Amino acid sequence: MSEQRVIVVGGGLAGLAATIRIAEQGIPVDLFSMVPVKRSHSVCAQGGINAANDVARQQGYSEYQHFDETLIGGDYLADQGPVLEMANFAPKIIDLLDRMGVPFNRTSEGYRALRLFGGSLFKRTHFSGASTGQQLLYALDEQVRRFAAEGKVKMYEFWEFLWPVTEGEGEDKRCVGIIGQDMRTMQIRAFRGDAVVMATGGCGLVFGKSTNSVICTGGAASRCYQAGAWYGNPEMIQVHPTAIPGADKCRLMSESARGEGGRVWVPRQKGDTRKPTDIPENERWYFLEERYPDYGNLVPRDIATREIFDVCVNDGMGVDGENQVYLDLTHMERDYLNSRLGAILDIYDKFVGEDPRETPMRIFPAVHYSMGGLWTKHTPGDAVPGEPRAVVHKPGDSAPIDADLGHGMKFCAPDNMMTNIEGLYAFGEVNFAYHGATRLGANALLSCIFDGLFCGMSVSKYVTEGKPKQHPASGVDQSVFDKFVAAEQGKMDTLLSGSETGASDPDTNPYTIANELGVIMTEASTVVKTEEGLEKCLAKIRELRERFSRVRLGDGGAWTNQSLSFTRAVGDMIAIGEAIAKGGLLRKESRGSHYRTDYPDRDDVNFLKTTVAEYAPGGDDECNIFYREVDTRFIKPRPRTYGKTDDSQSKKTQEKAEAQA
Amino acid sequence: MSKQAPQQGRTIRFRIKRCDGPGKPSYWQEFDIVPEKNANIISCLKQIAETPVTVQGEKTTPVVWDSGCLEEVCGACTMVINGGVRQSCTGLIDVLAPNNGDTITLEPMSKFPVVRDLWVDRQRLFHNLERVKAWVPIDNTYSLGAGPKESPDSQATHYKLSECMSCGCCLEACPQFNIEEDESKWDESFIGAHAISQARLFNNHETGKQLKDERLEELSGKGGVGDCGNAQNCVKVCPKEIPLTESIAAMGRATTIHAVKSFFSGKK
Ligand SMILES: Cc1cc2nc3c(=O)[nH]c(=O)nc-3n(C[C@H](O)[C@H](O)[C@H](O)COP(=O)(O)OP(=O)(O)OC[C@H]3O[C@@H](n4cnc5c(N)ncnc54)[C@H](O)[C@@H]3O)c2cc1C
Ligand code: SF4
Ligand code: SF4
Ligand code: FES
């Protein structure tokens, strides 16, 4: 039998972890990435990675509670089995990373240090300074370099994924490879793979400016969606409360700043022009701490973001009358800050020109993460409770389910995190599965590596025991691949044929179209949404789609044509943008990050459901939405208040302060 | 704020060294733009891409460049700005060109082959990490418990070395590191400060140590640490402030000891 191979698209944490696991099973991997994998977007992650640990356990914490927190954080929109499995598996991931040499911060005795993070009252976040993502990515990159040196992995860096290759129709449809393009030579060619793992990250660029890297267009996910893969919960977009707005991107100031003791405040007196350090303690309004006495500055991100938005936009209380609040670390010791948060404080210093150890930072929310992504399935594990627990799990209660492997999701089941197209998997941020309607901080890195290691085994099982065993991709007729190559070649020719050196008419300029998409998406589909706003957004998307059909590239070159790659992604961003806006329009409730002023409450009766978007070209709209039941086997949804207090009291204090002024 | 705020709405000029592809001649083009608020080099390049018209009014193609994170952690956007190598994402326009009419010059790095315009091929830099086996040789990825314990001081040292983002500034500035397009010559050419420093990182790791001799062997050979002329340019340009000269000194000593040891054990 000829050799079987697996294709992994994307070399962030999810793609690298999958590559290592699959190659370790003896199956050669072809790894594709638009950038050298060491420069993938995961390098940006700052704060840390969550897992139950011995210290927390001895204070009453457990894997089960991590699971519970993740569910309520996501406002119960995630299927529960995979989340349980991820929380249970998490400690193993930390140990492995530790063995790989990740320089996790240490306690004085030499154990791994821990910090607090949003949505939890326990320290269960492991970290490497404030560049945890960078350190984890490097550790995995090093292992992959080793595998590549040993010939087990073949790297295709600066190659762009263009389209999945499928054969068969309906039930029989399966993915047997991809079409890729060399970003230097512009050569387009097919690659055969017995399974294809998409690990292509998020889609922040749909919103123009976000905290994401420049390649996070969601283009690859969108191409799978346009090729028939379902897209789950597109409307669930996370807006992070604390970022620095910039001309090219919004730079994140990690939640770890608050986890280490950073406090968010605005002056109690509207229009106070004093320097922040001159404003006495009792004239500062720590609105998060006041409104959420238990969680304080560490409420989940959607809540913190809405509160900041409320304070700035609705109450006009932003610093200097602008949309910004203080994130204050100045009460903390310099050395401590340097060892724990150095990397992000340097970013602030470099881009704003002020030392956050001396002056409170000025921050505002920015688009950050997509909970939505390619829809995936899984095989449930062996824990089958009679009915979901309605009682609240309290710290110290013994966990109703232990942390052994396979309770939430069956280990090695071939369909774990496979899309509706057989043989096509989605891992990492591009997978919709774990975070429901809001992701808790430091759970993303976890879900990426969990997918790679745990579900990587599913991929190798599928390849060695599933359909590819009898029908390997190497046996598929060449004409199947040729057809897809020709289609991609045709699309490229069409784009290039409309090119004109230096074209800049805004009507058909790809950069202008992308900017306009970003503006309308940010306006209509982020912190607060309304029916009217979303209708307007969809109308604008129709306009942009029409203009895109006439798009004119400023470069028709056949060598390293970056404009071509970008322009192609603009078309794909329009398709994803439509799913995001339409999903939001049809979800007539508020849940997690999705907040509708016209439907401010959660509606479990009608909307405790996964939104599934299916690409349906031909009409005015190209997106068809339907719903699927959410698996709530383990825990019954409870109200998600995080102990919010009635803040009429604080409003009064504030009014008094204003009256005095 | 005490600083004099640069004037908004000013026009600044970009002089950009361009090249259409390998083997093609380089040429200069100039562009005038009115930068946005809080602009950096990247946001200006994007503005140029939207309306690629030179100062002479000639329509041209958008400039090609490399970038990723836009916050100086991925290393992609490195180029030569006003004669000095650095990241372009942290190249703030208010600092580089505060006045109307100021000019900023952009060139690709010279120690790596140009792919197009400002984008260079840094494959050799990654290859050199492979030369020193810059990884921890773990047994497998199955659950075998935690890694070795480590003191906070030792972690601090490791973390600093591990922050190297493979940007290549240290290679661009190094008089001993020269452009080499012939891949077959890479293994004999100077390996570079970044790789020497990574060898130190892994030689100090409890499990990484297992490959210590192989790393020292590579560093003792042609293109190894002996080729370093101690010019110390590398450490001055490293954006992550990695103590490269310390690493070079440490590896220099280690290779000497290694040579003595191999001599007496009859390995060489
Ligand atoms: C500033 C910031 C800080 C964060 N901090 C944290 C944190 O502290 N903790 C936490 O848990 N999470 C954090 N996150 C979230 C987390 O970093 C991401 O969700 C995660 O890194 C995504 O990893 P990934 O492997 O899914 O994809 P990515 O790392 O985004 O990698 C995607 C890969 O796909 C490739 N690719 C994309 N498109 C194509 C294509 N068309 N063809 C070929 N290849 C392609 C890219 O080249 C890349 O290699 C943070 C995010 C940001 C933006
Ligand atoms: S010290 Fe050595 S590596 Fe550094 S710049 Fe000088 S010659 Fe190059
Ligand atoms: S050592 Fe410094 S300059 Fe050299 S590649 Fe690493 S980060 Fe860049
Ligand atoms: S874009 Fe990543 S370092 Fe500048």
Side-chain angles (χ1 to χ4, degrees):
Chain A
M1 201 187 78
S2 70
E3 190 190 57
Q4 293 189 303
R5 302 188 77 82
V6 168
I7 289 172
V8 174
V9 185
L13 289 175
L16 294 179
T19 299
I20 294 168
R21 242 313 146 86
I22 296 166
E24 191 178 63
Q25 303 306 308
I27 305 170
V29 175
D30 294 319
L31 175 55
F32 291 80
S33 172
M34 288 177 74
V35 297
V37 295
K38 197 178 177 180
R39 308 199 199 283
S40 293
H41 168 64
S42 290
V43 81
C44 291
Q46 304 171 342
I49 173 166
N50 294 332
N53 56 84
D54 280 340
V55 177
R57 277 191 202 101
Q58 290 167 57
Q59 296 168 355
Y61 195 69
S62 61
E63 280 84 348
Y64 188 82
Q65 191 155 355
H66 183 194
F67 160 60
D68 190 320
E69 286 166 357
T70 306
L71 283 186
I72 192 168
D75 224 346
Y76 299 99
L77 194 60
D79 285 320
Q80 299 189 353
V83 180
L84 174 67
E85 198 61 36
M86 174 175 82
N88 283 351
F89 196 78
K92 298 185 177 36
I93 291 177
I94 307 297
D95 278 349
L96 176 61
L97 294 166
D98 192 11
R99 280 168 55 214
M100 288 178 178
V102 171
F104 284 116
N105 275 53
R106 298 283 160 168
T107 64
S108 49
E109 217 184 311
Y111 292 103
R112 293 177 303 228
L114 297 158
R115 63 164 55 129
L116 268 182
F117 241 78
S120 185
L121 299 172
F122 290 85
K123 289 191 177 175
R124 42 93 164 117
T125 304
H126 305 72
F127 60 100
S128 224
S131 66
T132 312
Q134 174 196 43
Q135 295 305 316
L136 304 193
L137 184 75
Y138 290 1
L140 297 182
D141 171 66
E142 288 147 10
Q143 295 299 324
V144 167
R145 181 161 297 108
R146 173 185 174 201
F147 278 170
E150 291 167 2
K152 296 172 182 160
V153 172
K154 190 156 167 34
M155 306 291 287
Y156 291 89
E157 289 172 324
F158 293 122
W159 276 80
E160 183 171 355
F161 162 88
L162 298 185
W163 209 259
V165 175
T166 54
E167 68 154 6
E169 283 305 322
E171 288 285 278
D172 285 335
K173 183 162 167 174
R174 99 177 146 125
C175 182
V176 291
I178 66 163
I179 304 301
Q181 178 165 36
D182 185 326
M183 295 166 71
R184 291 146 302 189
T185 64
M186 308 311 283
Q187 180 203 8
I188 292 179
R189 60 163 281 209
F191 295 85
R192 290 167 190 257
D194 291 285
V196 173
V197 178
M198 299 302 297
T200 48
C203 59
L205 260 73
V206 170
F207 296 84
K209 286 179 213 169
S210 73
T211 62
N212 289 188
S213 297
V214 297
I215 48 168
C216 300
T217 60
S222 178
R223 287 164 207 162
C224 294
Y225 161 68
Q226 292 167 69
W230 296 346
Y231 198 92
N233 294 332
E235 68 274 28
M236 295 305 172
I237 295 290
Q238 176 163 89
V239 181
H240 195 292
T242 59
I244 347 168
D248 53 340
K249 95 175 269 197
C250 299
R251 293 177 178 87
L252 183 73
M253 283 298 115
S254 166
E255 191 167 294
S256 53
R258 283 169 288 141
E260 295 289 0
R263 304 177 73 187
V264 173
W265 61 277
V266 292
R268 282 203 183 270
Q269 195 190 316
K270 210 180 208 169
D272 194 330
T273 52
R274 286 174 293 177
K275 284 207 306 215
T277 38
D278 291 344
I279 301 178
E281 193 63 19
N282 63 347
E283 293 176 40
R284 301 172 174 194
W285 184 23
Y286 296 100
F287 51 95
L288 290 173
E289 293 170 36
E290 226 167 75
R291 289 177 178 172
Y292 301 90
D294 294 344
Y295 287 85
N297 295 291
L298 288 172
V299 284
R301 292 172 179 172
D302 57 308
I303 297 177
T305 292
R306 276 194 295 277
E307 297 289 3
I308 292 174
F309 195 82
D310 187 46
V311 162
C312 293
V313 181
N314 299 338
D315 296 346
M317 296 280 293
V319 175
D320 293 341
E322 294 195 30
N323 283 340
Q324 51 187 3
V325 301
Y326 289 125
L327 170 56
D328 196 346
L329 290 165
T330 56
H331 53 288
M332 299 175 66
E333 254 198 76
R334 271 190 100 88
D335 282 351
Y336 183 82
L337 289 177
N338 287 341
S339 87
R340 298 274 175 140
L341 299 171
I344 60 166
L345 303 181
D346 286 349
I347 291 178
Y348 192 86
D349 203 353
K350 270 186 182 138
F351 286 95
V352 181
E354 283 177 346
D355 182 356
R357 300 162 195 88
E358 306 288 335
T359 319
M361 299 183 268
R362 294 157 183 256
I363 51 93
F364 195 68
V367 169
H368 180 59
Y369 182 87
S370 173
M371 277 72 70
L374 292 172
W375 181 87
T376 48
K377 47 192 170 182
H378 66 275
T379 300
D382 60 16
V384 206
E387 66 184 59
R389 281 168 65 93
V391 286
V392 178
H393 181 81
K394 286 203 207 63
D397 289 356
S398 66
I401 302 173
D402 68 41
D404 283 350
L405 208 64
H407 291 329
M409 182 156 69
K410 189 168 186 267
F411 190 46
C412 286
D415 70 348
N416 289 338
M417 304 308 143
M418 190 191 270
T419 65
N420 57 313
I421 298 176
E422 188 180 333
L424 182 68
Y425 292 80
F427 287 6
E429 189 169 337
V430 76
N431 178 5
F432 94 114
Y434 305 99
H435 308 293
T438 288
R439 168 175 71 80
L440 290 187
N443 258 352
L445 302 183
L446 174 62
S447 62
C448 288
I449 301 178
F450 172 71
D451 268 345
L453 294 179
F454 187 94
C455 306
M457 292 301 283
S458 298
V459 176
S460 58
K461 281 289 172 234
Y462 167 71
V463 168
T464 52
E465 292 170 14
K467 200 181 269 177
K469 187 181 174 195
Q470 304 302 334
H471 304 281
S474 55
V476 174
D477 203 75
Q478 181 60 35
S479 62
V480 173
F481 295 91
D482 293 345
K483 198 180 76 198
F484 281 91
V485 170
E488 288 309 311
Q489 194 72 48
K491 287 185 216 167
M492 175 170 86
D493 293 345
T494 309
L495 282 176
L496 289 181
S497 69
S499 70
E500 175 205 341
T501 298
S504 59
D505 178 358
D507 186 43
T508 52
N509 184 295
Y511 297 93
T512 314
I513 294 176
N515 287 345
E516 291 182 26
L517 176 70
V519 168
I520 190 76
M521 289 299 296
T522 304
E523 209 175 275
S525 202
T526 50
V527 185
V528 282
K529 311 179 192 178
T530 62
E531 177 156 327
E532 196 194 341
L534 290 163
E535 292 280 18
K536 205 178 113 197
C537 178
L538 283 163
K540 178 75 186 182
I541 286 175
R542 283 192 284 273
E543 175 207 312
L544 294 175
R545 176 177 283 134
E546 188 282 320
R547 281 164 54 188
F548 184 76
S549 69
R550 298 179 280 116
V551 75
R552 301 206 76 158
L553 268 74
D555 186 353
W559 177 263
T560 320
N561 189 334
Q562 248 173 3
S563 305
L564 173 70
S565 170
F566 178 77
T567 304
R568 186 161 38 209
V570 174
D572 300 321
M573 289 196 284
I574 293 174
I576 289 288
E578 181 182 35
I580 293 169
K582 194 160 174 193
L585 178 69
L586 298 186
R587 183 176 283 279
K588 296 187 172 163
E589 64 153 358
S590 291
R591 182 184 297 274
S593 303
H594 171 77
Y595 181 71
R596 289 274 303 254
T597 51
D598 39 3
Y599 300 94
D601 298 318
R602 188 171 89 190
D603 174 0
D604 284 342
V605 176
N606 295 304
F607 287 103
L608 181 50
K609 292 196 174 92
T610 303
T611 304
V612 182
E614 193 179 28
Y615 185 63
D620 234 11
D621 278 4
E622 300 196 335
C623 171
N624 176 29
I625 300 268
F626 62 97
Y627 295 93
R628 289 178 62 100
E629 288 304 314
V630 174
D631 169 14
T632 54
R633 234 174 329 148
F634 300 102
I635 293 175
K636 215 172 132 116
R638 344 182 255 277
R640 183 177 182 264
T641 61
Y642 288 92
K644 179 164 184 170
T645 57
D646 167 15
D647 74 355
S648 48
Q649 202 51 46
S650 87
K651 280 250 163 78
K652 256 181 235 150
T653 335
Q654 187 190 312
E655 273 155 25
K656 220 162 72 195
E658 262 168 48
Q660 278 169 357
Chain B
M1 257 185 269
S2 53
K3 277 176 290 176
Q4 179 85 40
Q7 167 207 348
Q8 286 300 323
R10 67 193 187 280
T11 299
I12 61 160
R13 177 161 296 188
F14 275 90
R15 267 188 89 225
I16 302 179
K17 188 176 182 182
R18 305 195 56 176
C19 169
D20 296 341
K24 306 257 171 70
S26 295
Y27 56 97
W28 290 89
Q29 277 184 341
E30 294 181 325
F31 303 89
D32 280 345
I33 62 159
V34 179
E36 296 166 82
K37 198 169 163 232
N38 296 329
N40 58 3
I41 301 272
I42 306 270
S43 71
C44 291
L45 284 171
K46 274 197 207 161
Q47 263 179 278
I48 294 173
E50 242 176 281
T51 323
V53 180
T54 66
V55 171
Q56 287 75 27
E58 181 200 342
K59 284 187 173 187
T60 180
T61 52
V63 178
V64 171
W65 77 96
D66 200 359
S67 66
C69 65
L70 305 184
E71 51 193 51
E72 209 180 87
V73 65
C74 80
C77 67
T78 313
M79 54 183 80
V80 178
I81 300 170
N82 293 340
V85 67
R86 59 169 295 170
Q87 278 64 52
S88 51
C89 62
T90 36
L92 302 185
I93 302 305
D94 284 353
V95 177
L96 291 168
N99 303 308
N100 197 36
D102 280 350
T103 297
I104 298 176
T105 306
L106 305 181
E107 294 166 78
M109 282 192 276
S110 66
K111 301 292 175 77
F112 300 98
V114 173
V115 178
R116 186 173 169 188
D117 295 340
L118 301 170
W119 184 14
V120 297
D121 179 355
R122 279 171 281 183
Q123 189 51 40
R124 178 175 163 208
L125 181 160
F126 294 111
H127 174 83
N128 288 354
L129 295 178
E130 193 182 315
R131 280 171 70 185
V132 291
K133 299 193 167 31
W135 53 72
V136 173
I138 55 167
D139 288 350
N140 54 48
T141 65
Y142 300 107
S143 304
L144 300 171
K149 265 169 79 174
E150 189 177 27
S151 72
D153 277 353
S154 152
Q155 185 274 344
T157 311
H158 285 165
Y159 176 70
K160 187 79 251 168
L161 297 178
S162 188
E163 273 190 303
C164 167
M165 58 179 179
S166 299
C167 66
C169 285
C170 56
L171 307 175
E172 179 70 17
C174 173
Q176 298 301 105
F177 190 92
N178 298 309
I179 187 166
E180 181 53 78
E181 305 206 15
D182 181 356
E183 273 187 48
S184 69
K185 298 209 177 112
W186 285 357
D187 285 345
E188 309 207 319
S189 312
F190 183 46
I191 196 158
H194 74 301
I196 297 172
S197 188
Q198 290 289 303
R200 173 180 173 215
L201 168 65
F202 289 99
N203 277 3
N204 284 340
H205 184 271
E206 271 312 303
T207 320
K209 271 191 183 121
Q210 279 178 38
L211 300 175
K212 191 173 169 183
D213 286 344
E214 291 171 55
R215 293 193 192 100
L216 293 178
E217 200 57 46
E218 180 66 28
L219 289 183
S220 311
K222 213 167 165 219
V225 69
D227 283 18
C228 162
N230 232 335
Q232 314 216 349
N233 292 0
C234 49
V235 75
K236 288 178 207 137
V237 295
C238 174
K240 293 284 154 184
E241 294 171 6
I242 293 171
L244 292 168
T245 36
E246 247 174 58
S247 294
I248 293 167
M251 289 299 95
R253 280 192 303 273
T255 48
T256 312
I257 297 168
H258 173 74
V260 174
K261 266 207 224 148
S262 343
F263 177 78
F264 285 111
S265 66
K267 272 191 195 155
K268 254 196 170 167

